[in-house]
Amino acid sequence: MDKSFEPSTIESKWYARWEASGCFKPTGQGTPYTIMLPPPNVTGTLHMGHAFQHTLQDALIRYHRMRGFDTLWQVGTDHAGIATEMVVARNLALENLTREGLGREKFIEKVWEWKQTSGNTITRQMRRLGTSGDWSRERFTMDEGLSKAVIETFVRLYEEGLIYRGQRLVNWDPVLKTAISDLEVVNEEEDGKLWSISYPLADGSGALVVATTRPETLLGDVAVAVHPEDERYTQWVGKRVKLPLTDREIPIIADAYVDKAFGTGCVKITPAHDFNDYAVGQRHSLPMINIFTPEATLNENAPEKYRGLDRYVARKAVLADLTAAGLLVEEKKHKLQVPRGDRTGQVIEPYLTSQWFVKMDSLAKRGLELVENGSVRFVPENWISTYRHWMGNIQDWCISRQLWWGHRIPAWYDASGGIFVGRDEAEVRARHGLAADVALTRDSDVLETWFSSALWSHGTLGWPDPELMRKYGYDRYLPTSVLVTGFDIIFFWVARMIMMTDHFTGKVPFRDVYITGLVRDHEGQKMSKAKGNILDPIDIIDGITLEALLAKRTSGLMQPQMAQKIEKATRKEFPNGIAAHGTDALRFTFASLATHGRDIKFDLKRAEGYKAFCNKLWNAARFALMNCEGFTASGSPTPKTDAERWILSRLARTVREVEAQFAAYRFDLVSQALYEFTWNEYCDWFLELAKPALTGGDSEEAHSTRHTLLFVLETTLRLLHPLIPFITEEIWHAVAPKLGLTGESISTQPYPEPKQFSGDYGRAEADIEWLKASVSQLRRIRSEMNISPTRPVPLLLQGGGAEDRERIQRFQAGLSFLARLESIAWLEGEAPASATAIVGELRLLMPLAGLIDLSAERARLEKEMKRLEGDIAKCNTKLGSETFVNNAPAAVVAQERQRLTDWTQQLATLREQHRRLGA
C-alpha cells in the first residue's frame, strides 16, 4: 500500500472495474431486494440532495448485495419537460434560432440531439459517487417502453372515466405560458401593499370597503363576501354593489371562508384568479371571468381602456383611476406570500384554462387505505399524518402542460370539437368509425413529467408488455423493497406511484418509504443561488480553488450588490477554496447526518473529520500489513491474549449494532457505531494493545495477535464497505490474500453476521476496559503536567481490592508499555507529592519530584482552586434563593445542583493534590 491515501488515484480505477465486471446486475438468485432510484432531471447536475439520497440508497444496495440478496437498483433519468425546453431554447438563442421559428418537429429533434451529447452529465456524476446501480437497465422516461406505458395508462384511465378535459384554475407561468405543478412554485414572503377600496352599494345606501393585495383583479370580481356571523354586514347579504371602474353590479354573499379579523372583513371574490375564491365560486355557483391572456396581459373581458396592458401596468392604471374616482380608501405596507415559478422567477398567476385532469377521489381513497393497512410503511412513521392529510383533501390532478417536449397527449379533435382518445390515430379512426377524409387534429399539449414518473416502479419492469415484463423480472422485483426520497415530493410522486401502481398492477410499488430531510447549509439555511451558499458535491470530492468557487457562485447574478455580498461571505468561509475530500469522506458525512429529523445541516468540517477517518483507516491497515509481512492464516483466530478477546467481543457487538440500525434505516447510528469501533477501539486501542505481543517473546501470542489483527481489519472493511466503498475495496485487496480470501471485489463478499461471533469474552472486555481506563488516566496526568509522553515515570498504587492486585500483576507488562512506566510499586505509608488518578477503588499516583517544577504546580493548583471556589459560591447563592429554585425550570435547577456536586468533588481532589505538593 502507498504511504498516504489518495482518493483520486483509486476511485476511477475501482468504479470502472466494478461496472465492467457486471457485479451491479441482479443475479436472479436469492431473495429479491429492489430500489427504484427517483429519476433525476436529465438536465441536471448532481446536487447535495441527490448526493445525500443516492449515498443512502447505495449503502442499502451494497449492504443487501453482500448479504446475498438479489439486488436490483433501477437507475434512470426524467425528461424534465420545462427544464429541458429552457436549456435547449437558450442554446438555440446562441445560434439566433427560436423554438417557434423551428417548429415542433425540428425543435424536438434538437432536444434529442442535446440529450445524446449533453444530457447524461448527471449519470456520469452519479458514478463518481459510487452509485452501484444496474446501468445496463438504465431507463429514460421518454424511451420507447416507458412512452408506451404512459400512453396505455392515459387511454385506460380515460376509458374508465378517470381522465377528463375541463376548465379549472391552475398555476400558470406567464413566461413559459404553461400550467405548472405546486412543486414548481416557490412561495416566499415579500414586501407588498394592501389597498382598501370602496365598493358603493347599488341602492346608494352606502358602501363596503374591501381590502386586497391585487387591485387589478377587481375587474374580474363576481361578488363581495362577508362572514355569515359578522354582525356588521348581515343586513347587506343578498344586496348588490357597483363594481368600481366597470358597468357591472355584483352580489354580496356570506361564506365562512372570510376571516372577520382581516382587513375590513369584506373580501372581493375573483374565482378565475384566486384558488380560494374559486372554491367560494363553486359553492355559490358564481360565474368565472378570466381577465388575463396567457402572457398575463388584460384581455377583452376587461374594460377597453385596460386591454393589452401588462398586469402590473394595469395595476397602476386601476389605482390611479380609483384615486380619481375617490374610491381608494387606504394604501399601506403589507407582508405577503408571493408565488413564483422556480424556473423563471416570475409571479405565478392562478389562471382559468382548459386542461386535462385525473379524478382523484377513488384513487386517493385506495392510496390512503394501502398506507393505513400497512401495505406501505412510512419511515419515520410521523410522515403518515402528512400523507393522510393531503390524501383526505386532494384535488383533481392537472396532468397537461403547454409544452412540446414530453409525452404528447393521445387525444384528437374533429372540426366540431369532438374528443377522441386512443393509442394512435389509426386506433381512434377504427374505434369511432372515422373515415380517412374526416380531419383530425392531435392535442398539442404534453403530459406533465409527474404523470410518467408515477409509472416508474412498474413501467421500468416492462409493464404493459408481457414479453418485456418477463425479461425485466416484473413478477420478481415488484413490489420493490424501499423508496428513498425527500418529504417535499410525498404528494407529487410517492402518493401518485402508490395510486397508479396499485390501480394497474394490483401491487404496491414499494413496501417501505424512507423519507429523508432536506440538505441545508451548516447554519440550517436553504441552499440557493441567491444566498450564495450552494455546495457542489463534486467540488467537495475533487476540491475547487477559491477563484473557481467565486466564479461559480456569482455567475449569472444580475445585481452587483448581491454578487459582492456572496463573494465576501465565500472568501470568509473558504479563504483557500475547498480541499479535495474524496468520495468516501463525503459519503460517510452524509450517512452520519441521516437522522430521522426533517433537515440535514451540512457542515464541511464534518467532511474534514471523515477524511481524517479514512486516513486513519489507511494508516492502520499499513501498520497491520507491515507487522504481518510473510504471515498468512485462514478462518477465525483462536485468541491467546485478553486484548484479542476484547477486540473480538467489541467487533461482535458492532456487527449486532450495525445490523439493527440498518434494519431501522438509522444510517447515522450505523456510521456512529462503525466510526467508534474503527477509530477508537481498533485503530487507537487494539493496535497499541497488540504491540507487546507482536514484539514479545511468546511466538504463539505473536501469531495469534497477527491473525486477529488481520481478521478484525478485514471484517471491519466489509462492515464499512456499504458506506465507504472505494477505500475499503483498495485495502481489502491488500489484506485478503493474507487470510486466504479471493474474489474480484469486496462488494461480493459476505457481510459480517452476528451468528459468526459466538465467543464469550465478557471477562476480557472488563479487564481491558480497566486497563484502558488506567492508561487513559495516566496519559491525562502527563498531559496536564506537561510531562513528555516518552519519558518513563514511576507509578505508585494505593487502595483497590484483590481483583485490582490480580489485574496489576497480569497486565504489568502491558500497563508499563502503554503508559511508559519505569516502575510499578504498591505504596506503603505516606504518599510523596504526587498527581493522582482513580480507577474504581484503585488510586494511581505519579510522584512528581524530578518531573515538574513543584512551586509552579502549586501556583497552578491554587489558581484553579480559587476559580472553583468562586464558581461554587455563585452556585450556592443561586440554590439558596427561593426565587430561583421555585421559578426556574426544573432542568435548570437540576443542572445547577449537578454543577455544585461536580465542582465540590473537583475542589476536594485539587486540595488533596495541593496538600501533597506541600508536604
Side-chain angles (χ1 to χ4, degrees):
M1 290 174 58
D2 293 338
K3 288 185 177 181
S4 60
F5 170 54
E6 298 295 340
S8 60
T9 63
I10 67 172
E11 289 175 4
S12 58
K13 173 185 74 174
W14 282 117
Y15 196 89
R17 292 187 189 180
W18 290 332
E19 190 171 355
S21 73
C23 66
F24 297 163
K25 297 179 180 180
T27 62
Q29 305 295 319
T31 303
Y33 185 86
T34 314
I35 294 179
M36 293 289 173
L37 174 79
N41 288 352
V42 70
T43 58
T45 56
L46 195 72
H47 60 59
M48 294 294 280
H50 289 137
F52 173 56
Q53 292 181 356
H54 293 189
T55 293
L56 304 187
Q57 291 172 72
D58 190 56
L60 288 170
I61 285 292
R62 289 179 182 271
Y63 171 67
H64 283 88
R65 184 183 290 128
M66 294 176 74
R67 292 179 64 207
F69 284 76
D70 179 23
T71 55
L72 167 61
W73 189 9
Q74 178 63 57
V75 294
T77 50
D78 187 278
H79 62 279
I82 293 175
T84 304
E85 284 211 10
M86 290 182 69
V87 168
V88 176
R90 283 197 297 266
N91 292 340
L92 289 174
L94 299 175
E95 304 175 38
N96 294 318
L97 298 174
T98 65
R99 188 185 84 142
E100 292 72 17
L102 284 175
R104 185 170 193 140
E105 290 187 8
K106 291 290 185 182
F107 177 76
I108 291 176
E109 287 179 11
K110 289 289 186 181
V111 176
W112 278 110
E113 288 176 11
W114 172 86
K115 199 274 180 183
Q116 295 303 318
T117 58
S118 305
N120 298 316
T121 298
I122 195 165
T123 57
R124 290 193 295 270
Q125 292 179 334
M126 286 163 60
R127 288 171 166 87
R128 292 294 316 281
L129 196 67
T131 299
S132 62
D134 182 3
W135 294 105
S136 69
R137 287 177 174 246
E138 182 182 354
R139 302 300 297 273
F140 178 52
T141 50
M142 286 284 286
D143 68 28
E144 183 180 354
L146 287 172
S147 295
K148 183 177 180 180
V150 169
I151 299 301
E152 186 68 24
T153 299
F154 186 97
V155 172
R156 289 193 196 181
L157 288 174
Y158 182 81
E159 292 173 346
E160 294 169 14
L162 292 175
I163 280 184
Y164 67 94
R165 183 170 174 79
Q167 194 177 58
R168 294 173 67 98
L169 214 58
V170 297
N171 295 311
W172 186 265
D173 189 311
V175 174
L176 298 172
K177 293 189 284 292
T178 181
I180 63 175
S181 71
D182 288 343
L183 190 64
E184 293 157 326
V185 178
V186 179
N187 289 283
E188 292 190 352
E189 187 176 77
E190 298 183 15
D191 292 327
K193 292 183 179 179
L194 184 69
W195 290 274
S196 296
I197 303 168
S198 178
Y199 283 47
L201 290 161
D203 62 9
S205 60
L208 294 183
V209 177
V210 172
T212 180
T213 59
R214 304 185 68 207
E216 68 278 8
T217 62
L218 70 80
L219 302 174
D221 285 359
V222 297
V224 171
V226 298
H227 194 280
E229 298 175 1
D230 194 334
E231 297 178 354
R232 295 173 294 176
Y233 303 114
T234 51
Q235 59 181 317
W236 306 114
V237 175
K239 294 191 175 186
R240 302 177 75 81
V241 296
K242 292 180 179 179
L243 182 62
L245 310 182
T246 72
D247 57 2
R248 293 192 289 120
E249 292 184 1
I250 57 177
I252 302 170
I253 63 172
D255 194 280
Y257 155 69
V258 179
D259 181 357
K260 292 187 291 183
F262 179 75
T264 62
C266 299
V267 177
K268 60 191 288 298
I269 302 299
T270 321
H273 297 290
D274 183 278
F275 288 103
N276 292 319
D277 291 5
Y278 179 85
V280 174
Q282 294 290 300
R283 288 195 291 272
H284 294 268
S285 300
L286 297 172
M288 291 184 284
I289 302 175
N290 175 23
I291 63 169
F292 289 132
T293 67
E295 295 82 9
T297 59
L298 273 70
N299 65 17
E300 69 279 359
N301 291 328
E304 186 173 355
K305 67 177 295 185
Y306 304 112
R307 293 173 190 172
L309 296 179
D310 173 80
R311 52 185 165 169
Y312 295 115
V313 175
R315 174 180 294 182
K316 293 179 180 179
V318 165
L319 288 170
D321 292 344
L322 287 171
T323 301
L327 298 175
L328 186 60
V329 177
E330 185 183 27
E331 174 183 300
K332 62 181 180 180
K333 293 180 180 180
H334 180 68
K335 294 282 188 181
L336 67 159
Q337 292 290 321
V338 177
R340 293 185 180 272
D342 67 345
R343 299 291 179 185
T344 64
Q346 293 297 310
V347 175
I348 296 304
E349 194 64 51
Y351 189 62
L352 187 65
T353 180
S354 292
Q355 302 284 347
W356 289 91
F357 295 89
V358 178
K359 292 182 180 179
M360 299 303 291
D361 292 348
S362 60
L363 291 171
K365 181 179 179 182
R366 175 61 176 164
L368 181 57
E369 178 185 332
L370 290 169
V371 171
E372 298 284 14
N373 67 20
S375 298
V376 176
R377 181 174 73 111
F378 275 80
V379 181
E381 290 185 356
N382 61 286
W383 289 110
I384 292 178
S385 59
T386 303
Y387 177 86
R388 184 185 296 125
H389 174 78
W390 187 73
M391 295 292 270
N393 297 276
I394 201 167
Q395 300 294 315
D396 287 354
W397 174 17
C398 177
I399 56 173
S400 50
R401 295 292 181 265
Q402 290 63 58
L403 304 170
W404 287 353
W405 173 245
H407 298 103
R408 195 167 179 180
I409 289 174
W412 285 259
Y413 304 89
D414 62 15
S416 62
I419 302 176
F420 306 95
V421 170
R423 291 164 184 81
D424 53 38
E425 185 175 342
E427 181 184 88
V428 165
R429 290 184 181 276
R431 178 176 296 180
H432 298 282
L434 301 173
D437 60 348
V438 175
L440 292 177
T441 302
R442 187 166 183 177
D443 196 304
S444 61
D445 289 352
V446 300
L447 291 160
E448 78 150 334
T449 55
W450 294 109
F451 188 88
S452 52
S453 57
L455 316 179
W456 190 247
S457 59
H458 57 286
T460 54
L461 294 175
W463 184 93
D465 187 315
E467 184 177 342
L468 291 178
M469 290 164 70
R470 286 191 293 273
K471 176 182 177 181
Y472 292 124
Y474 168 89
D475 289 327
R476 181 168 180 77
Y477 299 115
L478 189 73
T480 65
S481 304
V482 60
L483 177 72
V484 179
T485 191
F487 67 81
D488 54 331
I489 58 172
I490 289 177
F491 316 131
F492 297 95
W493 193 46
V494 177
R496 290 166 183 172
M497 286 183 78
I498 292 172
M499 291 184 282
M500 289 296 172
T501 306
D502 169 74
H503 187 75
F504 287 102
T505 72
K507 300 181 180 183
V508 294
F510 28 70
R511 295 186 179 90
D512 289 351
V513 184
Y514 173 57
I515 300 295
T516 71
L518 301 183
V519 181
R520 299 180 181 272
D521 71 11
H522 66 285
E523 294 180 347
Q525 297 293 314
K526 183 178 180 180
M527 292 188 184
S528 71
K529 180 79 173 177
K531 290 186 173 72
N533 61 348
I534 289 175
L535 285 172
D536 185 331
I538 301 301
D539 291 342
I540 298 173
I541 291 172
D542 292 338
I544 186 172
T545 65
L546 175 61
E547 291 72 20
L549 183 60
L550 288 172
K552 179 181 290 191
R553 287 189 165 186
T554 58
S555 65
L557 294 177
M558 304 301 292
Q559 299 177 11
Q561 289 183 335
M562 179 183 292
Q564 291 172 5
K565 181 179 179 182
I566 290 172
E567 179 177 346
K568 182 178 179 181
T570 302
R571 286 185 180 277
K572 181 178 179 181
E573 187 175 4
F574 304 111
N576 301 310
I578 297 175
H581 291 75
T583 298
D584 290 320
L586 179 62
R587 288 173 57 114
F588 209 105
T589 305
F590 280 131
S592 71
L593 294 171
T595 66
H596 281 186
R598 191 179 181 105
D599 293 325
I600 307 300
K601 292 183 181 180
F602 186 90
D603 189 344
L604 200 56
K605 292 179 180 178
R606 292 284 291 269
E608 292 171 3
Y610 293 120
K611 180 182 179 182
F613 173 81
C614 291
N615 284 325
K616 185 90 167 179
L617 176 63
W618 184 269
N619 292 329
R622 291 188 70 245
F623 172 87
L625 291 169
M626 285 190 293
N627 280 276
C628 295
E629 289 184 7
F631 175 85
T632 57
S634 62
S636 300
T638 302
K640 298 295 183 181
T641 67
D642 285 316
E644 294 174 78
R645 286 184 277 269
W646 167 78
I647 196 65
L648 289 170
S649 181
R650 299 306 303 167
L651 177 61
R653 288 174 184 264
T654 302
V655 171
R656 289 194 293 271
E657 177 72 6
V658 168
E659 181 180 70
Q661 301 307 339
F662 257 124
Y665 300 104
R666 289 304 302 266
F667 299 93
D668 56 329
L669 299 182
V670 169
S671 62
Q672 180 181 319
L674 291 173
Y675 181 94
E676 290 180 354
F677 174 78
T678 305
W679 185 296
N680 298 329
E681 296 178 331
Y682 183 78
C683 297
D684 274 357
W685 280 108
F686 184 62
L687 297 192
E688 288 295 309
L689 292 167
K691 287 176 181 177
L694 292 173
T695 58
D698 190 322
S699 60
E700 285 192 6
E701 285 192 357
H703 184 282
S704 173
T705 297
R706 288 188 176 92
H707 193 176
T708 301
L709 199 64
L710 294 171
F711 174 83
V712 175
L713 174 59
E714 192 275 337
T715 306
T716 303
L717 293 173
R718 285 184 284 128
L719 284 170
L720 286 165
H721 180 73
L723 300 186
I724 49 174
F726 293 104
I727 187 174
T728 50
E729 184 76 74
E730 181 77 7
I731 297 174
W732 186 82
H733 282 273
V735 173
K738 291 187 169 295
L739 292 168
L741 301 174
T742 59
E744 286 189 26
S745 171
I746 188 177
S747 65
T748 56
Q749 300 299 308
Y751 201 77
E753 297 181 8
K755 65 182 180 182
Q756 297 173 307
F757 301 89
S758 56
D760 182 8
Y761 301 134
R763 180 180 175 183
E765 271 208 77
D767 287 345
I768 296 298
E769 291 302 325
W770 172 89
L771 177 61
K772 285 170 56 185
S774 300
V775 173
S776 296
Q777 291 282 29
L778 293 172
R779 288 176 175 174
R780 178 186 60 80
I781 291 174
R782 283 180 179 271
S783 176
E784 291 178 355
M785 300 294 184
N786 198 27
I787 301 170
S788 170
T790 60
R791 180 175 179 177
V793 296
L795 175 65
L796 299 176
L797 304 170
Q798 190 178 60
E803 187 175 39
D804 290 308
R805 290 182 175 269
E806 188 272 334
R807 282 172 170 165
I808 288 293
Q809 183 176 359
R810 187 151 47 93
F811 290 109
Q812 183 168 352
L815 184 60
S816 296
F817 177 84
L818 294 170
R820 295 293 190 272
L821 303 178
E822 67 178 12
S823 63
I824 301 177
W826 288 92
L827 182 65
E828 302 294 341
E830 182 69 17
S834 306
T836 305
I838 299 174
V839 177
E841 296 179 357
L842 180 65
R843 297 170 67 84
L844 308 174
L845 296 91
M846 188 181 295
L848 298 176
L851 292 177
I852 64 170
D853 184 334
L854 295 181
S855 61
E857 179 61 14
R858 277 193 293 269
R860 186 189 71 82
L861 289 173
E862 288 165 1
K863 182 178 179 181
E864 183 66 11
M865 286 189 294
K866 187 174 181 181
R867 183 188 66 79
L868 280 173
E869 287 167 353
D871 290 339
I872 290 170
K874 291 177 185 177
C875 195
N876 279 323
T877 300
K878 277 188 178 181
L879 293 173
S881 167
E882 291 186 8
T883 302
F884 172 78
V885 173
N886 295 333
N887 297 328
V892 173
V893 176
Q895 182 185 50
E896 203 66 26
R897 286 176 174 151
Q898 185 61 47
R899 284 175 175 172
L900 180 61
T901 300
D902 294 342
W903 289 338
T904 302
Q905 291 176 349
Q906 291 174 28
L907 181 60
T909 300
L910 292 178
R911 283 174 173 167
E912 174 63 16
Q913 290 183 15
H914 187 268
R915 184 187 70 80
R916 289 184 173 171
L917 289 177

